[in-house]
Amino acid sequence: MTAAPAVAIKDLSFAYHPGRDVLQLPTMVISRGERVFLHGPSGSGKTTLLGLIAGILRPQGGSLAVLGADLGTMSGSERDSFRGERLGYVFQMFNLIPYLSVVENITLPCLLSAPRRARLMQAGSVASLELAAAAIAERLGIGGLLGTPVTELSVGQQQRVAVARALLGAPELVIADEPTSALDSEHREDFLRLLFDETARSGATVLFVSHDLTLAPLFQRTLSLRDLNQVAAARGTHA
Amino acid sequence: MLALKLALKSLWNRRFASTLTVASIALSVALLLGVERVRLGARAGFAGTISQTDLIVGARGGAVPLLLSTVFHIGHATNAVPYSAYAAIKARPDVAWTIPLSLGDSHKGFRVVGTTEDFYQHYHYRRDEQPRLVLGHTPQALFDVVIGSAVATKLGYQVGSALTLAHGVAEVSFQNHTDKPFNVCGILAPTGTPIDRSLFISLEGEEAIHADWADGAPPQSGHGTSVAALIAHPPAVDEITAFFVGAKSRGDTLTLQRDINETKAVALTAVIPGVTLNELWDLVAYGENGLRLVSACVVVVGLLGMLVSIYHSLSERRREMAILRAIGAGPRMIVTLMVVEAGLLTILGAAGGLMLVYVGLVLAQPYVEAEFGLLIPIQAPASGEAGYLSAIFGLGLLLGAIPAWRAYRTTLHDGLTMRL
């Protein structure tokens, strides 16, 4: 199982309305442990592809295997459990549940997914979920903010909390959807360094999506969704 | 458990709106339960006004008017019972005791009851309570009067006060028995029944104030028998309004009732208080049901307010839903979250309503008892109320399912897209 790539796509297609495909991907493979920059300007099918990989959307044609799991054959709730257990997801901004504290936000995925929690407790030498959250928060430089209401955090702090939440419980694939777009350039690199450090510790694969190519050199490989997606390529007029 | 914790935190985060929602549910629940309490209290109070009396006998007429006029002092009987007919029934071997009543006069809006010592000995209310004098004694002299507790406090009378009675039972009477003043000889303890609002004189006293009356009109002034003469020679009682009967044994009651109703010589009606009370309940049930219906509607409106509040919050919470989805919450979790929120609001509202009822009872009970003679007991929630509360809870969950369904649809549609 560990030999299976993080993402393996073959002839994947998806349409919100029958006959109007927004995504046609002949092939795309991301290996385990890779740090991939996916360049996806708006209109390139980025949102759709991430929805498919995260298991929110159901593939309609072709095959999609994430971490060896064939998402096309799984039910909606199976995909939800799969996502909760094995993926980490960081949004562009507003990542946090406003009515939970920092530590509650970080531990929430492990509370929702029993396997994820079990894996965390087994793997580490941690005594409790809260201690594990405190440890990762410490490494991300937000150790002093655990009890703070999330509404009092700066954008940069919020994104670090989001990373801590996405990484707690050692997910094998971390998807980051433009997580740096709200940060200034200096904080962007700091943020990426922290993300890479943490994913390197657990050996997680990183799929980083952005329309901002200036960050691309920091990654091992860059993919362009506009080139990969036949629908976008055919439209071809996007500047 | 996680859904419960999240729902609680989410509600707390919107605590102003949540508090308003809970308050509106609490008020509506309090109204429903309060109406129910008052209804049951009124019924119990009404039913408890007369106990141990097996029959009420009056001139031929309707059962409900007879009960109302003799026990509750509402309305008045038009015809009288000849004293001889009363004496004949009193003498029957199956009759244990009787209480004669002579009604028709009043004092400043309070009813005057002419009766005998039998009243103080045999009248019972609330199972085995009896009218009890706190001051003075029962009427011994012709113009003695015993007054109920409300009469004493409202009018400020004490033992020894003099008062005149008015003919008729209207608040304002044009015919006052000013020529025959009465002397307060005793004051009764509060009973929580119409007794509190009544004055009691002897049958002879009742007869005496109407001495020399002809065809319902008083004698011309100066032409009546003098008070001194009346006291020297009390007039004979030749008729009364009605009387209460206690049978020797419960089994005799029906025979007694049939005998009285079938007496050819005098046209009498004998009713069993409990049976007639039930007729009365049937009568007032329409009003009660109307009142209940209105308060049930108020509860529905309160819960609809909650529906609106939750539904309204959904559009602000799409981001939150997307985050929950991203970290592995399925649509089922989202639905559970919504329904649990509705359930929590409803439970808090219902509990608040119950609390309001008790606070209201503690605060209003003395006033209501003093003002309306209605004692609403403060007791643990009855099984009927538990039924109401579970129905409200069920309805709350059901209504919570509506925003839950919308949230479910929205999450499926939005997925991980952040719509701001």
Side-chain angles (χ1 to χ4, degrees), chain A residues 47 50-51 54 56 77 80-81 83-84 89 91 93-100 104 108-109 111-112 165, chain B residues 2 5-6 9-10 13 317 319-320 322-331 333 337 415-418 420:
Chain A
T47 305
L50 292 185
I56 298 281
S77 63
D80 289 331
S81 309
R83 176 173 65 255
Y89 204 104
F91 286 108
M93 58 198 303
F94 305 120
N95 266 292
L96 308 176
I97 305 279
Y99 50 81
L100 297 180
E104 285 166 339
L108 192 54
L111 291 174
L112 274 170
R165 186 180 63 199
Chain B
L2 182 63
K5 187 185 154 193
L6 288 178
K9 296 222 175 208
S10 167
N13 188 51
R317 297 170 67 193
R319 186 194 310 151
E320 178 189 327
I323 296 167
L324 286 172
R325 289 283 277 147
I327 60 179
M333 176 74 184
L337 205 57
L416 298 180
T417 323
M418 297 289 209
L420 303 178

Side-chain angles (χ1 to χ4, degrees), chain B residues 9 20 34 49 63 67 135 140 198 231 249-251 272 293 306 325 352 357 373 387 390 399 411 417:
Chain B
K9 296 222 175 208
L20 285 183
T49 299
L67 175 84
L135 278 173
Q140 307 293 326
S198 307
I231 292 173
S249 76
R250 273 285 147 93
I272 299 171
L293 191 67
M306 171 187 78
R325 289 283 277 147
V357 166
S390 5
L399 288 176
T411 21
T417 323

